[in-house]
Amino acid sequence: MRILRTIAEVRAVVADARSGGASVGLVPTMGAFHEGHLSLMRAARDAHGLVVVSLFVNPTQFGQNEDLGSYPRDEERDAALAEAEGVDILFAPEPAEIYPDGFATTIHVEGVTDVLCGARRGPHHFDGVATVVTKLFGIVAPDAAYFGQKDAQQVLVVRRVVRDLNLPVEIVACPIVRESDGLAMSSRNAYLDAAARRRAAALNRALAAGEAAFAGGERDAARIVRNARAVLADAGIEPEYLELRDAVDLREIAQIDGDALLAVAARVGAARLIDNRILRGGA
Ligand code: PAF
């Protein structure tokens, strides 16, 4: 595996691989790898001749009071893990390589960014994600890019960018990887102390309660959300949001008659955690 810092180097390696007939898979990350990231790398490895993993803690998607400064960083460990998964290129640029002086373009997606994490973290968050991901697509020109379904809203935002800007890249959403007690793997789980770590498992249990109500025939959104909320309340967790929305455009729904996204965000101890389930109500 090669660690590359510049756009020119990445472009040269990608061009070389393409001239040899290889397809290219991209896994965009901010590092602090866990099994979730590694599952994306494996999916890309299975499908492509060249696998590029980007490692860039993207400053534009963090708000002023968020954790940009404390976000876990350990490039040496990440590089070893990526290499063990057979990744070809770890693209780990400096911020100035991605945002040189005079950088003045932002990709803004309307609609799906106005709710859930977009409403709580502010518009800069998904603007930052959409902009950096679009740049990575321009730099790597991948055939496919791999994202974790834990960030369900991010997946929808990226799909919308790709559709609206006619970008020739397939977006692959990979299943959420969970700890043995069901907690969704996240780099931010590192912020949890032992007590918070135990409470954090309630997020998955809350989603499971909503899912169980749905599986039992419940289609009323408010009742499903109430079931889930009760589990969080038992664990002493007040969610930032716990909502059931249309799984494609994130509009509010009162009844499930298509695929729905049951999504939660909550602060548990020092970590802001998110998780979700798709409830498949389509024909
Ligand atoms: O999901 C992430 O780690 C980030 O939001 C991403 C997609 C790498 C963009 O910075």
Side-chain angles (χ1 to χ4, degrees), residues 45 71 86 123:
R45 182 70 287 163
Y71 198 82

Side-chain angles (χ1 to χ4, degrees), residues 179-231:
E179 303 283 358
S180 56
D181 64 356
L183 176 65
M185 289 201 185
S186 163
S187 304
R188 291 189 167 97
N189 292 352
Y191 302 153
L192 298 167
D193 64 21
R197 171 66 189 79
R198 279 192 297 278
R199 285 171 60 231
L203 266 67
N204 176 56
R205 288 202 306 278
L207 296 175
E211 188 174 47
F214 172 73
E218 184 61 78
R219 293 294 179 267
D220 181 86
R223 280 202 286 268
I224 290 175
V225 167
R226 246 196 324 273
N227 275 293
R229 225 171 231 284
V231 176

Side-chain angles (χ1 to χ4, degrees), residues 28-30 56 58 61 129 132-133 147 151 154:
T29 82
M30 298 204 300
F56 181 62
N58 174 36
Q61 70 189 75
V129 170
V132 80
V133 168
F147 295 86
D151 298 296
Q154 170 169 281

Side-chain angles (χ1 to χ4, degrees), residues 111-178:
V112 287
T113 60
D114 293 344
V115 298
L116 304 178
C117 285
R120 274 52 176 212
R121 297 186 68 175
H124 69 274
H125 173 63
F126 285 118
D127 286 0
V129 170
T131 302
V132 80
V133 168
T134 304
K135 281 182 66 80
L136 289 168
F137 290 172
I139 293 163
V140 178
D143 295 281
Y146 295 76
F147 295 86
Q149 177 60 24
K150 181 174 75 67
D151 298 296
Q153 191 174 12
Q154 170 169 281
V155 172
L156 292 177
V157 170
V158 172
R159 283 195 198 285
R160 192 58 64 102
V161 171
V162 164
R163 196 189 75 177
D164 290 354
L165 300 183
N166 308 99
L167 305 180
V169 50
E170 180 196 355
I171 302 304
V172 182
C174 296
I176 299 173
V177 179
R178 297 181 180 281

